[in-house]
């Protein structure tokens, strides 16, 4: 089991917890009340800083209900936080854009994260032929 040191910037949000058996993603919450008008951008403070294990990074994405509940999209679509962002003032944020007027309150679950090992070093080997399995070159259906 990996240990992650965590610093909370507020006592108004629920402490992070791993929900075994339900999902291996961990919810993150907004650390302050936010009012956004349609078309506004804001960095939502998530109220935490973490010291990730060496060789790991956190992938931060919206929850499936975030757009429906709040009318916001994460502007970088997937935030990557590596283990070097681990200082006392390195609070995590979620960059969002409002597509409608909205309010987000302290402790609202707005995004989620999981940790992943860094990608290994890759050596690309050029070739003229890959395999005999050819699906047509467009996504999983092979159809344009």
């Amino acid at each position: 089991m990996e240990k992650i040191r965590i610093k909370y910037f507020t006592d108004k949000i629920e402490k992070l917890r791993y929900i075994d058996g339900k999902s291996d993603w961990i919810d993150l919450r907004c650390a302050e009340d936010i009012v956004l008008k349609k078309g506004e951008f804001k960095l939502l403070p998530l109220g935490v800083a973490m010291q990730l294990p060496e060789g790991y990074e956190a992938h931060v994405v919206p929850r499936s209900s975030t757009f429906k509940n709040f009318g916001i999209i994460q502007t970088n679509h997937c935030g990557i936080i590596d283990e070097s962002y681990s200082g006392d003032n390195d609070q995590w944020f979620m960059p969002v854009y409002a597509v409608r007027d909205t309010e987000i309150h302290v402790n609202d679950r707005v995004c989620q994260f999981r940790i992943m090992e860094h990608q290994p070093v890759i050596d690309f080997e050029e070739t003229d032929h890959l395999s005999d399995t050819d699906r047509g070159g467009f996504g999983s259906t092979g159809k344009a």
Side-chain angles (χ1 to χ4, degrees):
M1 175 184 299
E2 295 288 346
K3 289 216 184 271
I4 296 178
R5 295 181 66 211
I6 184 167
K7 175 183 176 179
Y8 289 93
F9 289 83
T10 178
D11 59 359
K12 295 179 182 176
I13 60 172
E14 286 186 30
K15 304 288 187 199
L16 275 87
R17 59 191 174 108
Y18 184 82
I19 303 172
D20 193 30
K22 185 172 181 186
S23 172
D24 61 355
W25 290 82
I26 299 164
D27 288 337
L28 293 165
R29 298 167 182 273
C30 192
E32 63 184 54
D33 290 327
I34 304 288
V35 175
L36 290 169
K37 298 291 184 195
K38 180 180 178 178
E40 286 186 326
F41 169 82
K42 176 81 175 170
L43 291 172
L44 300 184
L46 301 174
V48 296
M50 293 183 223
Q51 187 174 2
L52 299 176
E54 185 70 31
Y56 283 83
E57 62 196 20
H59 293 200
V60 180
V61 299
R63 298 181 74 244
S64 60
S65 61
T66 298
F67 183 78
K68 175 182 67 83
N69 290 343
F70 305 108
I72 56 175
I73 56 174
Q74 185 173 342
T75 59
N76 59 355
H77 303 290
C78 177
I80 307 297
I81 302 170
D82 69 27
E83 76 271 18
S84 70
Y85 191 72
S86 61
D88 277 338
N89 296 307
D90 290 338
Q91 180 174 193
W92 290 16
F93 289 87
M94 178 188 188
V96 300
Y97 178 81
V99 298
R100 62 174 161 84
D101 292 355
T102 190
E103 292 185 15
I104 304 164
H105 300 287
V106 169
N107 213 40
D108 281 344
R109 295 180 300 163
V110 292
C111 57
Q112 57 192 341
F113 82 99
R114 69 183 306 175
I115 64 169
M116 307 278 292
E117 283 189 87
H118 288 267
Q119 178 170 284
V121 175
I122 296 173
D123 182 25
F124 292 98
E125 178 183 328
E126 191 170 341
T127 183
D128 291 329
H129 181 71
L130 292 175
S131 73
D132 293 327
T133 311
D134 193 345
R135 298 183 345 188
F138 187 83
S140 61
T141 63
K143 298 177 183 172

